[in-house]
Coordinates of all heavy atoms in Angstrom, one line a residue:
V30 N -18.2 0.3 -11.4 CA -17.8 -0.4 -10.2 C -16.6 0.3 -9.5 O -16.5 0.4 -8.3 CB -17.3 -2.0 -10.5 CG1 -16.6 -2.6 -9.3 CG2 -18.5 -2.6 -11.1
I31 N -15.6 0.8 -10.3 CA -14.5 1.5 -9.6 C -15.0 2.9 -9.0 O -14.2 3.3 -8.1 CB -13.3 1.7 -10.5 CG1 -13.5 2.7 -11.6 CG2 -12.8 0.3 -11.0 CD1 -12.3 3.1 -12.3
R32 N -16.0 3.3 -9.4 CA -16.6 4.8 -8.8 C -17.6 4.4 -7.7 O -17.8 5.4 -6.9 CB -17.4 5.4 -10.0 CG -16.4 6.1 -10.9 CD -17.3 6.7 -12.1 NE -16.4 7.3 -13.0 CZ -16.0 8.6 -13.0 NH1 -16.3 9.4 -12.0 NH2 -15.2 9.1 -13.9
F33 N -18.1 3.2 -7.6 CA -19.1 2.9 -6.6 C -18.5 3.3 -5.0 O -17.6 2.8 -4.7 CB -19.5 1.5 -6.7 CG -20.5 1.1 -5.5 CD1 -21.8 1.5 -5.5 CD2 -20.0 0.3 -4.5 CE1 -22.6 1.1 -4.4 CE2 -20.8 -0.1 -3.4 CZ -22.1 0.4 -3.4
K34 N -19.4 4.0 -4.4 CA -19.1 4.3 -2.9 C -20.5 3.9 -2.2 O -21.6 4.3 -2.5 CB -18.9 5.7 -2.7 CG -17.6 6.3 -3.3 CD -17.5 7.8 -3.2 CE -17.1 8.1 -1.8 NZ -16.4 9.4 -1.6
P35 N -20.2 2.9 -1.2 CA -21.5 2.5 -0.5 C -22.0 3.7 0.3 O -23.4 3.6 0.5 CB -20.9 1.5 0.5 CG -19.5 1.1 0.0 CD -19.1 2.3 -0.8
S36 N -21.3 4.6 0.7 CA -21.8 5.8 1.4 C -20.9 7.0 1.2 O -19.7 6.7 0.9 CB -22.1 5.6 2.9 OG -20.8 5.5 3.5
E37 N -21.3 8.1 1.5 CA -20.6 9.4 1.3 C -19.1 9.3 2.0 O -18.1 9.8 1.5 CB -21.3 10.6 1.6 CG -20.6 11.9 1.3 CD -20.3 12.0 -0.2 OE1 -21.0 11.6 -1.0 OE2 -19.3 12.5 -0.5
G38 N -19.1 8.9 3.2 CA -17.7 8.8 4.0 C -16.8 7.7 3.6 O -15.7 7.7 4.2
E39 N -17.2 6.8 2.7 CA -16.4 5.6 2.5 C -15.7 5.9 1.0 O -16.1 6.6 0.3 CB -17.2 4.4 2.3 CG -17.8 4.0 3.7 CD -18.5 2.6 3.6 OE1 -17.9 1.7 3.3 OE2 -19.7 2.7 3.9
W40 N -14.6 5.2 0.9 CA -13.8 5.3 -0.4 C -14.4 4.3 -1.4 O -14.9 3.4 -1.2 CB -12.3 4.9 -0.2 CG -11.6 5.9 0.5 CD1 -11.9 7.2 0.8 CD2 -10.2 5.7 1.1 NE1 -10.8 7.7 1.5 CE2 -9.8 6.9 1.5 CE3 -9.3 4.7 0.9 CZ2 -8.5 7.1 2.1 CZ3 -8.1 4.7 1.5 CH2 -7.6 6.0 2.1
S41 N -14.2 4.8 -2.7 CA -14.6 4.0 -3.7 C -13.2 3.2 -4.2 O -12.2 3.4 -3.6 CB -14.8 4.9 -5.1 OG -13.8 5.6 -5.5
I42 N -13.3 2.2 -5.1 CA -12.1 1.6 -5.5 C -11.1 2.4 -6.0 O -9.8 2.2 -5.7 CB -12.5 0.4 -6.5 CG1 -13.3 -0.7 -5.7 CG2 -11.2 -0.2 -7.2 CD1 -13.8 -1.9 -6.7
R43 N -11.4 3.3 -6.8 CA -10.4 4.4 -7.4 C -9.8 5.1 -6.3 O -8.7 5.4 -6.4 CB -11.1 5.2 -8.5 CG -12.1 6.1 -8.0 CD -12.6 6.9 -9.2 NE -13.8 7.8 -8.6 CZ -14.4 8.5 -9.4 NH1 -14.1 8.7 -10.6 NH2 -15.5 9.3 -8.8
E44 N -10.5 5.4 -5.3 CA -9.9 6.2 -4.1 C -9.0 5.3 -3.4 O -7.9 5.7 -3.0 CB -11.0 6.7 -3.2 CG -11.7 7.9 -3.8 CD -12.9 8.3 -3.1 OE1 -13.7 7.5 -2.9 OE2 -13.1 9.6 -2.8
V45 N -9.4 4.0 -3.1 CA -8.5 3.0 -2.6 C -7.2 2.9 -3.3 O -6.0 3.0 -2.8 CB -9.1 1.7 -2.4 CG1 -8.1 0.6 -1.9 CG2 -10.3 1.8 -1.5
M46 N -7.3 2.8 -4.7 CA -6.2 2.8 -5.6 C -5.3 4.0 -5.5 O -4.1 4.0 -5.5 CB -6.6 2.5 -7.0 CG -7.3 1.1 -7.2 SD -6.2 -0.3 -6.6 CE -4.7 0.1 -7.6
G47 N -5.9 5.2 -5.5 CA -5.1 6.4 -5.2 C -4.3 6.4 -4.0 O -3.2 6.8 -4.1
H48 N -4.9 6.0 -2.9 CA -4.2 5.9 -1.7 C -3.0 4.9 -1.8 O -1.9 5.1 -1.3 CB -5.2 5.4 -0.6 CG -4.5 5.0 0.6 ND1 -4.0 5.9 1.6 CD2 -4.4 3.8 1.1 CE1 -3.4 5.1 2.6 NE2 -3.6 3.9 2.4
M49 N -3.3 3.6 -2.3 CA -2.2 2.6 -2.4 C -1.2 3.0 -3.3 O 0.0 2.8 -2.9 CB -2.9 1.2 -3.0 CG -3.9 0.7 -2.0 SD -4.4 -0.9 -2.6 CE -2.9 -2.0 -2.2
R50 N -1.4 3.8 -4.4 CA -0.4 4.2 -5.2 C 0.5 5.3 -4.5 O 1.7 5.4 -4.4 CB -1.0 4.8 -6.6 CG 0.0 5.5 -7.4 CD 1.3 4.7 -7.7 NE 2.3 5.8 -8.2 CZ 3.2 6.5 -7.5 NH1 3.2 6.2 -6.1 NH2 4.0 7.2 -8.0
F51 N -0.1 6.3 -3.8 CA 0.5 7.2 -3.0 C 1.3 6.6 -1.8 O 2.4 7.0 -1.7 CB -0.6 8.2 -2.5 CG 0.1 9.3 -1.6 CD1 0.8 10.4 -2.1 CD2 -0.1 9.2 -0.3 CE1 1.3 11.4 -1.4 CE2 0.7 10.1 0.7 CZ 1.2 11.2 0.0
A52 N 0.6 5.7 -1.2 CA 1.3 5.0 0.0 C 2.5 4.2 -0.4 O 3.4 4.0 0.4 CB 0.3 4.1 0.7
E53 N 2.6 3.8 -1.7 CA 3.6 2.9 -2.1 C 5.0 3.6 -2.1 O 6.0 3.1 -1.5 CB 3.5 2.5 -3.7 CG 4.5 1.6 -4.2 CD 4.3 0.1 -3.5 OE1 3.2 -0.2 -3.1 OE2 5.4 -0.7 -3.5
D54 N 5.0 5.0 -2.3 CA 6.2 5.6 -2.2 C 6.5 6.0 -0.7 O 7.8 5.9 -0.3 CB 6.1 7.0 -3.0 CG 6.1 6.8 -4.5 OD1 6.7 5.8 -5.0 OD2 5.7 7.7 -5.3
I55 N 5.5 6.3 0.0 CA 5.8 6.6 1.3 C 6.4 5.4 2.2 O 7.3 5.4 2.9 CB 4.4 7.1 2.1 CG1 3.9 8.2 1.6 CG2 4.8 7.2 3.6 CD1 4.7 9.6 1.5
W56 N 5.7 4.2 1.8 CA 6.3 3.0 2.5 C 7.7 2.7 2.2 O 8.5 2.3 3.1 CB 5.5 1.8 2.2 CG 4.2 1.7 3.1 CD1 2.9 2.1 2.8 CD2 4.1 1.2 4.5 NE1 2.1 1.8 3.8 CE2 2.8 1.4 4.9 CE3 5.1 0.9 5.4 CZ2 2.4 0.9 6.2 CZ3 4.7 0.6 6.6 CH2 3.4 0.6 7.0
Y57 N 7.9 2.8 0.8 CA 9.4 2.6 0.4 C 10.4 3.6 1.2 O 11.3 3.1 1.7 CB 9.5 2.8 -1.1 CG 10.9 2.8 -1.5 CD1 11.7 1.5 -1.6 CD2 11.7 3.9 -1.7 CE1 13.0 1.6 -1.9 CE2 13.0 3.9 -2.1 CZ 13.8 2.6 -2.2 OH 14.9 2.8 -2.4
K58 N 10.0 4.8 1.2 CA 11.0 5.8 1.8 C 11.0 5.5 3.4 O 12.2 5.7 3.8 CB 10.4 7.1 1.6 CG 10.5 7.7 0.2 CD 9.7 8.9 0.0 CE 9.7 9.4 -1.6 NZ 8.9 10.5 -1.8
R59 N 10.0 5.1 4.0 CA 10.0 4.7 5.5 C 10.9 3.5 5.5 O 11.9 3.5 6.5 CB 8.7 4.3 6.0 CG 7.8 5.4 6.2 CD 6.4 4.9 6.6 NE 5.6 6.0 7.0 CZ 4.2 5.9 7.2 NH1 3.7 4.6 7.1 NH2 3.5 6.9 7.6
L60 N 10.8 2.5 4.8 CA 11.7 1.3 4.9 C 13.2 1.8 4.6 O 14.1 1.3 5.2 CB 11.3 0.2 4.0 CG 9.9 -0.4 4.3 CD1 9.4 -1.2 3.2 CD2 10.0 -1.2 5.6
Y61 N 13.3 2.5 3.5 CA 14.7 2.9 3.2 C 15.3 3.8 4.3 O 16.6 3.6 4.7 CB 14.6 3.8 1.9 CG 16.1 4.2 1.4 CD1 16.8 3.5 0.8 CD2 16.5 5.5 1.8 CE1 18.1 3.7 0.4 CE2 17.8 5.8 1.4 CZ 18.6 5.0 0.6 OH 19.8 5.4 0.1
Q62 N 14.6 4.7 5.0 CA 15.1 5.5 6.2 C 15.6 4.5 7.3 O 16.7 4.7 7.7 CB 14.0 6.3 6.7 CG 13.6 7.6 6.0 CD 12.6 8.3 6.6 OE1 11.4 7.9 6.7 NE2 12.9 9.4 7.3
V63 N 14.8 3.5 7.6 CA 15.3 2.6 8.5 C 16.5 1.8 8.2 O 17.4 1.6 8.9 CB 14.1 1.7 9.0 CG1 14.6 0.6 10.0 CG2 13.0 2.5 9.7
W64 N 16.4 1.4 6.9 CA 17.5 0.6 6.5 C 19.0 1.4 6.4 O 20.0 0.9 6.7 CB 17.3 0.1 5.0 CG 18.4 -0.6 4.3 CD1 18.9 -1.8 4.4 CD2 19.3 0.0 3.3 NE1 20.0 -2.1 3.6 CE2 20.2 -1.0 2.9 CE3 19.3 1.2 2.7 CZ2 21.1 -0.8 2.0 CZ3 20.3 1.5 1.7 CH2 21.1 0.5 1.3
S65 N 18.8 2.7 6.0 CA 20.0 3.5 5.9 C 20.4 4.5 6.9 O 21.6 5.0 7.0 CB 19.8 4.3 4.5 OG 18.7 5.2 4.6
L66 N 19.4 4.8 7.9 CA 19.7 5.7 8.9 C 19.7 5.2 10.3 O 19.1 4.1 10.5 CB 18.8 6.9 8.9 CG 18.7 7.6 7.5 CD1 17.5 8.6 7.5 CD2 20.0 8.4 7.3
N67 N 20.2 5.8 11.3 CA 20.2 5.3 12.7 C 18.9 5.9 13.3 O 18.9 7.1 13.6 CB 21.4 5.6 13.4 CG 22.5 4.8 13.0 OD1 22.5 3.7 12.7 ND2 23.8 5.5 13.0
D68 N 18.0 5.1 13.5 CA 16.7 5.4 14.4 C 16.1 6.6 13.9 O 15.8 7.7 14.7 CB 17.1 5.7 15.9 CG 16.0 5.4 16.7 OD1 14.9 4.9 16.3 OD2 16.1 5.8 17.9
P69 N 15.8 6.7 12.6 CA 15.2 7.9 12.0 C 13.6 8.2 12.5 O 13.0 7.2 12.8 CB 15.2 7.7 10.5 CG 15.1 6.2 10.4 CD 15.8 5.6 11.6
V70 N 13.3 9.3 12.4 CA 11.7 9.7 12.5 C 11.2 9.5 11.2 O 11.6 10.1 10.2 CB 11.6 11.0 13.0 CG1 10.0 11.4 13.1 CG2 12.3 11.3 14.4
L71 N 10.3 8.5 11.1 CA 9.7 8.2 9.7 C 8.8 9.3 9.1 O 8.0 9.9 9.9 CB 9.0 6.8 9.8 CG 9.9 5.7 10.3 CD1 9.0 4.5 10.5 CD2 11.2 5.4 9.6
M72 N 8.8 9.4 7.8 CA 8.1 10.3 7.2 C 6.6 10.0 7.2 O 6.2 8.9 7.4 CB 8.4 10.5 5.8 CG 8.3 9.3 4.8 SD 8.8 9.7 3.2 CE 8.2 11.2 2.7
S73 N 5.7 11.1 7.2 CA 4.2 10.9 7.3 C 3.6 10.8 6.0 O 4.3 10.9 4.9 CB 3.7 12.0 8.1 OG 3.8 13.2 7.5
F74 N 2.3 10.7 5.9 CA 1.6 10.6 4.7 C 1.1 12.1 4.2 O 0.1 12.2 3.5 CB 0.4 9.8 4.9 CG 0.5 8.3 4.6 CD1 1.4 7.6 5.4 CD2 -0.1 7.7 3.5 CE1 1.6 6.2 5.1 CE2 0.1 6.3 3.3 CZ 0.9 5.7 4.0
A75 N 1.9 13.1 4.4 CA 1.5 14.4 3.9 C 1.3 14.3 2.4 O 2.2 13.8 1.7 CB 2.7 15.5 4.3
G76 N 0.3 15.0 1.9 CA 0.0 15.0 0.5 C -1.1 14.1 0.1 O -1.4 14.1 -1.1
E77 N -1.7 13.2 1.0 CA -2.6 12.2 0.5 C -3.9 12.8 0.0 O -4.5 12.3 -0.8 CB -2.8 11.2 1.7 CG -3.7 10.1 1.3 CD -3.9 9.0 2.4 OE1 -3.8 9.4 3.5 OE2 -4.2 7.9 1.8
D78 N -4.2 13.9 0.7 CA -5.6 14.5 0.2 C -5.5 14.8 -1.4 O -6.5 14.6 -2.0 CB -5.9 15.9 0.9 CG -6.2 15.5 2.3 OD1 -6.6 14.4 2.7 OD2 -6.2 16.5 3.2
A79 N -4.4 15.3 -1.8 CA -4.2 15.7 -3.2 C -4.3 14.3 -4.1 O -4.9 14.4 -5.2 CB -2.9 16.4 -3.5

Side-chain angles (χ1 to χ4, degrees):
V30 173
I31 69 166
R32 288 176 178 267
F33 172 75
K34 292 174 81 156
S36 69
E37 188 55 38
E39 295 183 58
W40 284 352
S41 65
I42 289 173
R43 66 183 174 176
E44 289 167 312
V45 172
M46 293 305 304
H48 164 78
M49 289 183 76
R50 169 55 197 89
F51 177 79
E53 187 68 26
D54 288 336
I55 301 298
W56 278 104
Y57 172 76
K58 290 172 185 173
R59 286 176 175 169
L60 293 165
Y61 184 82
Q62 283 179 290
V63 173
W64 174 79
S65 64
L66 302 171
N67 290 321
D68 203 16
V70 175
L71 304 178
M72 66 182 311
S73 67
F74 270 65
E77 184 174 30
D78 289 344

